[in-house]
Every structure is written in C-alpha cells, then in structure tokens.
C-alpha cells in the first residue's frame, strides 16, 4: 500500500460529513470490488491517507455511472492526480468524487470547484443499489449538513465548525472503529481514569453519540466529562506531537469487528514517525523503558498500559519492534477514545499481519526520508512529509483550533449554541449509515472536546482573573490614559494634554481663583474634597465603562478606548459653564481616581461577573488580556505620574499667582470687608 | 489440580495469590504463609549459586491432611507456592515441575512488561489466564 499522503490535489480536501460518508463507502466498494487490502476509505476528509487503492475497473465503472461525458471523466481523473500517481488512492478517489459532484452540479472541472460545498455525486448504477441509495440519503445529509454551514452567519461559528471538522477529520485520521455499542457511553464520558484528550470514533452506533459529544464540544463549557483532569498537560505541543491521537480510517473491507483495530495509512505513518523519534532504526526495536516513558505520556493508567503492552508485545521480549509498537500505539489510541481493550490482540494488530500488510520496504521508506527514484516511491516520501507535516501540524494545531473554538465560542457563544444545536439535530437525523467521517468526527470531537476540557481545566487552575481585567480596564479607561494614548480622541481632550505643560489660559482671576480653589481641593488626595459632581461623574463613568467592559470581558484596550470617550463626554457635557476647569479636573482627578476605580470597579465588577459563567472558559484569553492590560496600566501609570508632576508644578505656579493677585486685591481695597 | 497458586516476592509478601474454591481462601492463604518458612529453610539449605531447574523446584514442602504444598523459587528469590488437593491421584512430579515452569515463564513475561514495577501485585491478564488454565486443568 502506498502512502497517499497529501494526495494528488495538493490542497486539503474538505468534505462534509455526508460526503465523507458517501465517499468512504464508494471507495470501499471500489476497493472491495478489487479485493483490495486493508484500510478502507479514511474518514479524514483532509489529506486522505487511506492505504487501499481502488482498482481501476470498479472506479471506471463508477465514474461512468456518474453519467458524465467521457472527456469530463478524463479531466477529473487527471485532476485528481490518479494519472500522476498511477493509482486511485483514497485521496485521488475522493477528489475525483468531488469533481464529479462539481461536474454534475454544472461547475467547471477544476480544483477550485471542490473547495465549495457541493451536493453528493450521483451515480446511476443498476447493479449497485447502494450507490443509488447513496444519492438520496446522502444527499439529504449533504443538504442538511450544508444548510447549517450556509446559514451560519458568523465567521467564528464557521471557523469553529471547520475547526471541528478539521479536528475530527484530521486529527490523525481517526479510524472509524466499529466500537461495540458500549463504547458510545464510554466515549462521551471519556472513561479513561486519567482522561486524555483526542479521541476517535467510527462506528455507526456512534453516530448519535458523536453528535452528543459534539454538542459538548461546540459549547466548550458543556464538556465536563471525567477527562478534563489531565488534559492540560497533554495539550502541550510537545506532548501533542509525541502522542497525538490518530484515528484510523474505517476499513469497510475488513471484518467489521476489527474495524477499530485497523491501522490506516495515516496512522501508520504517524506511528512510524513516533517510532523513529524513539529509535532511529526502524528495523530495530524500542526498549521497554523507552517505550514505557513514551506511553506513559498518554496518561493512561498503568494497569491499562501494562495490559496494552501485554497485548502488543507478542514475543514478550520486553522490547517493541515496529509492528508491535504500532499495535501498542494503536491500542492506546483506541483506549483513549474510549474503546475497551480487547481480550486478545486483534488479528489486524498482530505483528505478522502488520508486517505483511505493510512490507518492510515501506516501513523503511516511511521511516526514512526517501530518496528513491521511482515515482510512487518519491511521491511517498513527499506525501509522507506532507502528511507528517500536516499530521504534526494538525497535532500542534489541535490546541490552536481548540482554543480558537473556545475563543470563538466565547465571542458568540449563544449564537454558536443556537446554530450548533439545530445543526447537530439535523445531522443526527441525517445519519442513518455507517460512515467513516461520522466516526472520525466523534473521535475528533471528543478529542477536541477533551482538549477543550483540558484547556478549561488548565484555565481553571489559576485563580479567576475576571475581576482584574475590569479593574484594569476601568483604570485603563481613565480619561488620562485615553488622552495620552488616543490621539484620535476629541480635539478638546487631546488639546487638553499639551495644556498642562504650558500654562493654561487664565481667562479671568475669578475663574483662576475658582480653579485654584478647585485645584487645591483636588490636589488633596481626599475624594470628599473633590467636587461631588465630578466624583459622581467619575464613578458613573467608571461604572458605565465597567458595564461596557463586562460584556466584552477580554477586550481591554479597545474597551478602554471605547469607554473612555464616553466617560470623558460625561464630565465634559455636564459642566458646560466651566470647560477649562473640567479639563483640568479630570486630569487632576485622574491620579486620585486611580484609587477609586479599584474600589468602584471591584464591587461593580463582582456582581456583573457572576452572570458570566462562560468567563471561566476564556481565562486563557483573559490571561493575555490581563497581561496586555497590565502593560497598558503600567504605561498609563508612568504617564499619569509624569502628568501628576507637571500638574503639581502648575499648581505651585497658580498658587503663586493667586497670592500675587490677593496682594493686589488688598492693595486695591485697603478696607477689608469684615 | 492446583487449588491454590501463590507468587511470593522476595520480601515474603504475596504478589499474586489465587485459589480455586472461593471458600476457604483464608485457609489457603494461611497455608501459603506457613509454607514460606519451609521454603526459606530449603533455600538456605541449598544456598549454592547453582542455577539448576532442580534447585529451583523445591518439591513437596509439606503435606497436610488433604492438601499438599509444593514450592519453587526463582533466582531472584521469588517463590511460587502451589497447593494441590491431596485427594487427587498423586500428581506426578513432572507435572508439578511443568506447572511451575509455566508459572515461571508467565512470571517472566510479566516482568518483561516495562509498566510492571517489581514488587507490584501481578495484574496481568495473561498470567491470570495461565493460572486459571492450570487450576481448571488440574481440577
């Protein structure tokens, strides 16, 4: 079996659930008809690995059944890369199917056509009722699946969905394990004692379960299974890389009981890479201690790992050869997905079988960066690299899309939930058939869900920071900060900035005296000394700013920018008679008000934060926000300190002027009014 | 024919003990425990560094009214104790040896598992199944 790797399309192939379903079955048929080997159509839409190749005969029949003109079929065959590669691997097959669908929809036969949502291709084959049937229910699924996609208005949701799909499909091609019916409940609850991220799925019975598991995924707060405990450490990139979950594409050709235990090409590649990372020589074996350290990272319990070792180390020599390693890895992957461990090593995992299925030369090809000259061989390493990179990248990207999911959910959690639930319901009803894609989805779903749980768990560990951002935001939203950092602020506000250094205009002594009185009073760090109006103003503006801040908990600077203009408007609008004084007062009051925001923000933030249970889920993002807010606050503090010193100096000057004026007054009015 | 099989660690605590009839388990435990003294006595008597199967196999430790206790010690001083029903037609010594050999092999396989820490209770399913087969077979 060649490694399809990145496939001939050269770009990730995104298939909807129904499409994956349909395509995988079609591929299985074609491959099965040819008596192809193991590894059926992979569920992963992207970078479909698949080890089997669909024989040209049934594939040609299938294409002809699509009732497209011959030249179109030729184009499709060329485009999908089968000609180049020389065989119909899963990737090529899927691309071809997608192109057929595009052609049937009237789109031009080009790679770009397959990037958009398409109805399923329809094949009129008399002998295969299944395919005809495929058209209808699959189409239903396709349409239903597409409708939620098309109706999503928010990009975040779509991204979430894509992220989900990508996670599901990609996270290394989870094989649609025909899990026993007991696995769905396991699966949903991540029954592993230590909990582990990344799970896989595949069976038909899993369909309702995956979707149920999917729903928790989309609203991350829903995932509260036992898994989250150990998720945080797992999400580390290194761990992910070393132990990311791979899913096997479903092998519909093989015995169904063995479905979970078949290793697909992608998985095999991944296992081989991991083996290589532990032991450069693929023909040698990994010692027990090395393997133990490696597998312990999977956070499975020791008894389970011990049992898995027992199963996989066929010769009981305390070391794992490559097939044994793959079997062990695969068992671990399955176990983490919730599949109960078998009593005996499944036949598809036995070393002889694995070695027969994947000849030694291929191991070495896969193991080493191949430099062979033959086309397929040279493509293999290229595809391998690509798949490796994609798989590794997918592993590494797992936390990113997961966090994106969390972020997106955070941004529009309600909308996502609303849109996700109808989508899930529709998909639930639209999945009558066993499909690798659906199997993969629940796995990846649980995978990402568990990752989200991990992220949540990890985020729950640090103390809840929600109040702090608000405080900082309120602080950051103080007028001075915005005046300093927002040149776009109203001219009046910005104009007031340069004024302090330069002596402010003294329109009249009365105003100056009043100002001096005010400045004197405001210079005192006692809030009661301040004009109550201003104090209330500040409080109100801060509260309003906090109220603004709370709904957007992690948008500190922007909110500060938004709230500060509003805040400034209030003080500016209320005392229209003393504009000059107002300008100074906010500045003068800013240093004192810095003490106020924390006190005001605290009680104000606490009640407002309570109705936001979802904040916990976004603490990772909040951390960043907090850090940025901290930085901003430090900058603001520096600026304000500078401003303070300038104002103090100004105050002294004004004081001196006042004294001078009073002297003048005394001279002018010799008779003091008693 | 074995009604009870026990694996005892070097420090004389049980790594694995299993009896066939669920009742009288405590009695078997007691018998195994008391047999340890006999094992130690035999070990000290042998004492030599010869690694011989014969020396590993200790033979009949002591007979009771309706049970016989056989012992076997490995080079790492891990002891296997087997209690057989005396009422059964006398098991040939070879059979007992073969049973101990199987036990030893299974124990070695358990040891090979890197996830097994020496000193832990043996929870290997393969080991369990092997012991079960021995017991069922004998019973």
């Amino acid at each position: 079996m060649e490694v399809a790797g990145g496939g001939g399309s050269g770009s990730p192939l995104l298939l909807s659930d129904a499409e994956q379903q349909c395509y995988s079955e079609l591929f299985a048929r074609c491959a099965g008809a040819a008596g192809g080997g193991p590894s059926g159509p992979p569920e992963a839409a992207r970078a479909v690995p698949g080890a089997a190749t669909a024989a040209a005969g049934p594939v040609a029949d299938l294409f002809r059944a699509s009732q497209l003109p011959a030249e179109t079929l030729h184009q499709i065959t060329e485009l999908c890369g089968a000609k180049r590669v020389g065989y119909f691997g899963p990737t090529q097959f899927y691309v071809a199917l997608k192109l057929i669908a595009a052609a049937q929809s009237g789109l031009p036969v080009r790679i770009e056509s397959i990037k958009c949502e398409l109805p399923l291709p329809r094949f009129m084959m008399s002998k295969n009722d299944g395919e005809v049937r495929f058209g209808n229910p699959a189409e239903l699924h396709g349409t239903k699946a597409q409708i939620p996609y098309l109706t999503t208005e928010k990009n975040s949701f779509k991204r979430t969905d894509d992220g989900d799909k990508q996670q599901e499909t990609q996270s290394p091609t989870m094989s649609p394990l025909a899990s026993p019916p007991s696995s769905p409940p396991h699966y949903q609850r991540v029954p592993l004692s230590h909990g582990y991220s990344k799970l896989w799925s595949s069976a038909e019975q899993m369909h309702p379960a995956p979707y149920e598991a999917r729903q928790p995924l989309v609203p991350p707060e829903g995932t509260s299974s036992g898994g989250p405990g150990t998720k945080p450490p797992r999400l580390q990139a290194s761990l992910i890389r070393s132990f990311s979950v791979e899913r096997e594409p479903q092998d519909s050709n093989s015995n169904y009981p063995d479905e979970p235990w078949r290793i697909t090409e992608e998985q095999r590649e991944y296992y081989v890479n991991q083996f290589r990372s532990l032991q450069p020589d693929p023909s040698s074996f990994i010692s027990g201690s090395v393997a133990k350290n490696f597998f312990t990272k999977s956070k499975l319990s020791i008894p389970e790992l011990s049992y898995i070792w027992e199963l996989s180390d066929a010769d009981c020599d305390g070391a794992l050869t490559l097939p044994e390693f793959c079997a062990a890895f695969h068992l671990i992957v399955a176990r983490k997905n919730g599949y109960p461990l078998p009593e005996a090593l499944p036949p598809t995992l036995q070393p002889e079988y694995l070695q027969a299925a994947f000849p030694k030369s291929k191991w070495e090809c896969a193991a080493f960066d191949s430099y062979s000259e033959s086309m397929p061989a040279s493509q293999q390493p290229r595809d391998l690299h690509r798949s490796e990179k994609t798989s590794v990248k997918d592993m590494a990207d797992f936390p990113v899309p997961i966090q994106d999911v969390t972020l997106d959910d955070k941004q529009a959690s309600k909308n996502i939930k609303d849109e996700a639930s109808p989508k899930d319901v529709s998909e639930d009803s639209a999945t009558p058939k066993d499909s690798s894609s659906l199997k993969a989805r629940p796995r990846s779903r649980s995978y990402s869900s568990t990752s989200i749980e991990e992220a949540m768990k990890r985020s729950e560990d640090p103390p809840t920071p929600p109040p702090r951002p608000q405080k900082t935001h309120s602080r950051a939203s103080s007028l001075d900060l915005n005046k300093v950092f927002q040149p776009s602020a109203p001219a009046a506000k910005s104009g007031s900035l340069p004024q302090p250094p330069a002596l402010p205009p003294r329109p009249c002594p009365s105003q100056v005296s009043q100002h001096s009185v005010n400045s004197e009073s405001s210079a005192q760090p006692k809030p009661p000394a301040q004009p109550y109006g201003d104090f209330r103003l500040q409080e109100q503006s801060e509260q309003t700013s906090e109220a603004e801040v709370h709904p957007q908990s992690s948008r500190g600077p922007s909110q500060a920018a938004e709230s500060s203009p509003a805040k400034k408007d209030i003080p500016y609008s209320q005392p229209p008679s003393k504009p000059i004084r107002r300008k100074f007062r906010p500045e003068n009051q800013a240093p004192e008000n810095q003490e106020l925001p924390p006190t005001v923000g605290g009680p104000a933030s606490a009640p407002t934060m309570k109705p936001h249970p979802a904040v916990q889920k976004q603490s990772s993002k909040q951390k960043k926000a907090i850090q940025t807010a901290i930085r901003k606050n430090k900058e603001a503090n520096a600026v304000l300190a500078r401003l303070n010193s300038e104002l103090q100096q100004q105050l002294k000057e004004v004081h001196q002027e006042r004294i001078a004026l009073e002297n003048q007054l005394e001279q002018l009015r010799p008779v003091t009014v008693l | 024919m074995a009604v009870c099989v026990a694996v005892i660690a070097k420090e004389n605590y049980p790594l694995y003990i299993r009896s066939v009839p669920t009742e009288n388990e405590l009695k078997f435990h007691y018998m195994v425990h008391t047999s340890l003294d006999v094992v130690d006595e035999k070990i000290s008597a042998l004492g030599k560094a010869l690694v011989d199967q014969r020396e590993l196999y200790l033979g009949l430790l002591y007979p009771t009214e309706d049970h016989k206790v056989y012992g076997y010690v490995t080079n790492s001083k891990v002891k296997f104790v087997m209690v057989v029903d005396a009422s059964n037609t006398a098991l040939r010594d070879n059979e007992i040896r073969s049973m101990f050999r199987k036990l030893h092999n299974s124990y070695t396989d358990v040891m090979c598992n890197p996830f097994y820490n020496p000193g832990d209770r043996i929870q290997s399913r393969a080991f369990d199944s092997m012991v079960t087969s021995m017991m069922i077979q004998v019973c």
Side-chain angles (χ1 to χ4, degrees):
Chain A
M1 323 263 178
E2 306 88 349
V3 174
S9 63
S11 63
L13 184 63
L14 295 168
L15 299 178
S16 66
D17 304 343
E19 286 174 343
Q20 291 173 10
Q21 211 176 350
C22 175
Y23 293 173
S24 59
E25 299 217 37
L26 290 175
F27 184 88
R29 266 168 232 275
C30 293
S39 76
E43 309 171 356
R46 213 166 24 138
V48 170
T53 68
V59 171
D61 288 21
L62 187 67
F63 286 4
R64 259 177 265 124
S66 67
Q67 298 179 337
L68 290 174
E71 55 181 353
T72 313
L73 291 175
H74 281 308
Q75 277 183 353
I76 290 174
T77 321
E78 260 182 293
L79 268 178
C80 76
K83 290 249 168 82
R84 175 165 52 88
V85 179
Y87 61 96
F88 257 113
T91 314
Q92 291 78 34
F93 189 78
Y94 284 28
V95 174
L97 287 175
K98 193 109 184 185
L99 287 170
I100 288 173
Q104 284 176 344
S105 320
L107 296 171
V109 178
R110 266 200 288 275
I111 293 292
E112 294 82 4
S113 316
I114 65 174
K115 297 237 166 89
C116 51
E117 306 281 353
L118 292 169
L120 291 169
R122 273 172 292 290
F123 302 97
M124 302 302 155
M125 283 178 69
S126 57
K127 62 167 176 150
N128 265 339
D129 295 338
E131 286 175 347
V132 173
R133 247 186 306 127
F134 262 113
N136 299 335
E139 187 179 347
L140 286 176
H141 308 163
T143 51
K144 281 186 191 170
Q146 289 172 16
I147 284 170
Y149 294 150
L150 297 173
T151 53
T152 52
E153 296 173 358
K154 286 196 177 274
N155 291 337
S156 62
F157 175 64
K158 180 126 195 187
R159 190 152 53 102
T160 304
D161 196 65
D162 284 344
D164 286 353
K165 297 190 70 64
Q166 290 177 9
Q167 291 168 14
E168 297 161 359
T169 59
Q170 258 205 346
S171 47
T173 57
M174 267 318 294
S175 62
L177 303 185
S179 62
S182 62
S183 59
H186 287 291
Y187 185 68
Q188 287 182 34
R189 303 316 288 170
V190 186
L192 303 176
S193 57
H194 292 253
Y196 205 80
S197 57
K198 307 152 190 182
L199 304 176
W200 316 301
S201 69
S202 65
E204 226 175 11
Q205 303 93 342
M206 298 284 296
H207 293 174
Y211 287 112
E212 296 169 50
R214 178 183 212 148
Q215 279 181 349
L217 172 68
V218 176
E221 57 267 17
T223 55
S224 58
S225 55
T230 57
K231 303 296 189 322
R234 286 296 302 153
L235 271 187
Q236 296 165 17
S238 61
L239 288 177
I240 290 172
R241 189 199 158 111
S242 68
F243 224 104
S244 61
V245 171
E246 275 190 332
R247 301 161 201 196
E248 287 183 340
Q250 184 179 15
D251 185 10
S252 53
N253 292 340
S254 63
N255 317 327
Y256 263 56
D258 289 339
E259 286 296 349
W261 311 119
R262 277 196 187 273
I263 303 181
T264 63
E265 271 306 313
E266 239 187 39
Q267 289 177 319
R268 172 168 303 282
E269 286 170 36
Y270 184 73
Y271 297 156
V272 169
N273 296 335
Q274 292 302 316
F275 185 92
R276 253 198 318 164
S277 71
L278 298 173
Q279 164 67 269
D281 180 9
S283 60
S284 173
F285 44 79
I286 298 178
S287 71
S289 51
V290 171
K292 175 181 179 182
N293 294 337
F294 183 72
F295 288 140
T296 310
K297 293 186 209 165
S298 72
K299 297 286 188 290
L300 285 179
S301 65
I302 297 294
E304 286 181 353
L305 287 170
S306 170
Y307 183 59
I308 286 174
W309 177 281
E310 235 182 87
L311 288 177
S312 56
D313 191 6
D315 48 4
C316 291
D317 57 356
L320 294 180
T321 63
L322 187 54
E324 290 174 344
F325 177 83
C326 291
F329 208 143
H330 192 67
L331 285 169
I332 288 173
V333 158
R335 186 71 186 102
K336 286 201 297 191
N337 271 349
Y339 288 98
L341 292 173
E343 293 298 315
L345 193 65
T348 55
L349 285 182
Q350 287 180 358
E352 314 81 38
Y353 175 86
L354 290 174
Q355 277 192 341
F358 299 93
K360 193 96 180 201
S361 62
K362 178 184 174 295
W363 288 107
E364 281 159 323
C365 265
F368 295 108
D369 299 341
S370 166
Y371 35 77
S372 68
E373 296 149 5
S374 62
M375 261 291 273
S378 62
Q379 276 186 359
Q380 283 175 20
R382 268 212 314 272
D383 294 345
L384 254 173
H385 280 302
R386 222 164 351 153
S387 63
E388 280 176 34
K389 284 177 194 146
T390 51
S391 61
V392 167
K393 189 168 58 75
D394 299 337
M395 310 312 152
D397 285 347
F398 252 84
V400 173
I402 288 161
Q403 286 184 5
D404 284 344
V405 168
T406 53
L407 295 179
D408 294 338
D409 287 339
K410 180 186 150 192
Q411 282 181 10
S413 57
K414 289 181 190 171
N415 290 333
I416 289 171
K417 283 176 198 168
D418 294 341
E419 290 175 353
S421 40
K423 177 178 182 299
D424 291 343
V425 167
S426 67
E427 286 186 345
D428 264 331
S429 58
T431 57
K433 291 204 177 211
D434 178 10
S435 82
S436 57
S437 63
L438 290 172
K439 290 175 192 177
R441 198 173 309 112
R443 281 193 202 167
S444 60
R445 209 176 299 129
S446 53
Y447 184 25
S448 42
S449 68
T450 51
S451 338
I452 286 177
E453 293 167 9
E454 272 193 20
M456 283 163 42
K457 195 71 173 194
R458 186 173 45 181
S459 63
E460 285 168 3
D461 292 338
T464 43
R468 283 192 292 168
Q470 280 68 34
K471 287 182 195 169
T472 59
H473 293 165
S474 61
R475 196 179 299 176
S477 62
S478 68
L479 301 173
D480 284 340
L481 177 62
N482 288 312
K483 279 191 217 163
V484 173
F485 293 105
Q486 303 284 339
S488 61
K493 297 168 195 163
S494 58
S496 64
L497 258 184
Q499 283 186 7
L503 288 179
R506 311 291 168 93
C508 56
S510 63
Q511 278 200 1
V512 171
S513 63
Q514 285 180 8
H515 169 70
S516 63
V517 167
N518 282 331
S519 60
E520 266 188 353
S521 62
S522 59
Q524 299 170 8
K526 297 177 191 173
Q530 293 172 4
Y532 288 109
D534 297 328
F535 178 76
R536 280 198 307 275
L537 257 172
Q538 288 289 335
E539 199 174 354
Q540 288 168 9
S541 57
E542 282 169 4
Q543 281 180 352
T544 56
S545 70
E546 285 161 13
E548 296 167 18
V549 163
H550 289 304
Q552 311 172 14
S553 47
S554 69
R555 302 286 176 243
S558 56
Q559 283 175 350
E562 294 166 1
S563 55
S564 61
K567 206 165 141 185
K568 283 188 244 182
D569 285 335
I570 298 169
Y572 275 87
S573 62
Q574 285 199 4
S577 60
K578 309 254 162 74
I580 295 171
R581 192 151 45 95
R582 283 291 173 213
K583 287 179 204 169
F584 282 100
R585 186 162 296 118
E587 294 169 6
N588 293 332
Q589 290 175 355
E592 290 95 18
N593 284 336
Q594 284 176 4
E595 302 158 3
L596 300 174
T599 57
V600 176
S605 64
T608 50
M609 285 316 300
K610 281 170 191 172
H612 291 266
V615 170
Q616 294 178 2
K617 280 77 179 177
Q618 312 133 4
S619 56
S620 63
K621 196 175 177 207
Q622 279 177 356
K623 277 185 201 169
K624 293 178 196 168
I626 290 164
Q627 286 166 2
T628 52
I630 287 172
R631 256 182 279 117
K632 276 205 169 277
N633 285 339
K634 284 186 184 159
E635 294 167 4
N637 283 345
V639 168
L640 289 170
R642 211 173 57 231
L643 204 58
N644 191 15
S645 60
E646 287 170 354
L647 289 172
Q648 291 290 335
Q649 205 175 5
Q650 215 178 350
L651 176 66
K652 280 183 206 159
E653 291 167 358
V654 165
H655 205 69
Q656 285 170 3
E657 281 189 6
R658 174 186 166 224
I659 291 171
L661 286 171
E662 280 183 359
N663 287 336
Q664 284 182 8
L665 190 64
E666 272 184 323
Q667 290 169 8
L668 290 175
R669 280 209 227 154
V671 179
T672 57
V673 178
L674 292 173
Chain B
M1 259 186 283
V3 296
C4 174
V5 172
V7 178
I8 293 126
K10 179 174 163 187
E11 290 83 9
N12 289 333
Y13 62 86
L15 297 174
Y16 180 88
I17 181 160
R18 183 134 151 244
S19 319
V20 160
T22 48
E23 71 275 4
N24 290 343
E25 273 196 32
L26 196 59
K27 186 175 85 170
F28 289 127
H29 288 217
Y30 177 69
M31 287 173 68
V32 168
H33 189 265
T34 53
S35 68
L36 289 177
D37 285 333
V38 187
V39 171
D40 281 342
E41 186 186 327
K42 289 196 185 262
I43 288 176
S44 62
L46 293 176
K48 305 302 183 270
L50 289 173
V51 183
D52 193 357
Q53 178 80 359
R54 177 198 298 274
E55 291 181 359
L56 297 179
Y57 175 69
L58 304 173
L60 180 69
L61 297 178
Y62 70 94
T64 62
E65 182 179 350
D66 44 13
H67 292 286
K68 293 189 208 169
V69 183
Y70 292 90
Y72 182 100
V73 64
T74 67
N75 293 327
S76 53
K77 298 292 181 285
V78 174
K79 307 157 187 83
F80 299 109
V81 175
M82 191 186 315
V83 180
V84 299
D85 198 359
S87 58
N88 279 325
T89 55
L91 282 173
R92 295 186 55 187
D93 199 49
N94 284 340
E95 291 170 16
I96 306 284
R97 284 178 194 265
S98 69
M99 284 158 70
F100 274 125
R101 210 174 309 124
K102 280 201 294 186
L103 266 176
H104 198 173
N105 290 335
S106 296
Y107 179 74
T108 313
D109 292 342
V110 169
M111 276 291 148
C112 281
N113 190 334
F115 296 103
Y116 172 78
N117 301 317
D120 292 350
R121 300 194 63 87
I122 295 175
Q123 283 152 339
S124 154
R125 293 193 214 181
F127 192 84
D128 277 343
S129 61
M130 189 275 305
V131 170
T132 311
S133 70
M134 222 175 358
M135 291 179 145
I136 293 176
Q137 167 194 3
V138 215
C139 277

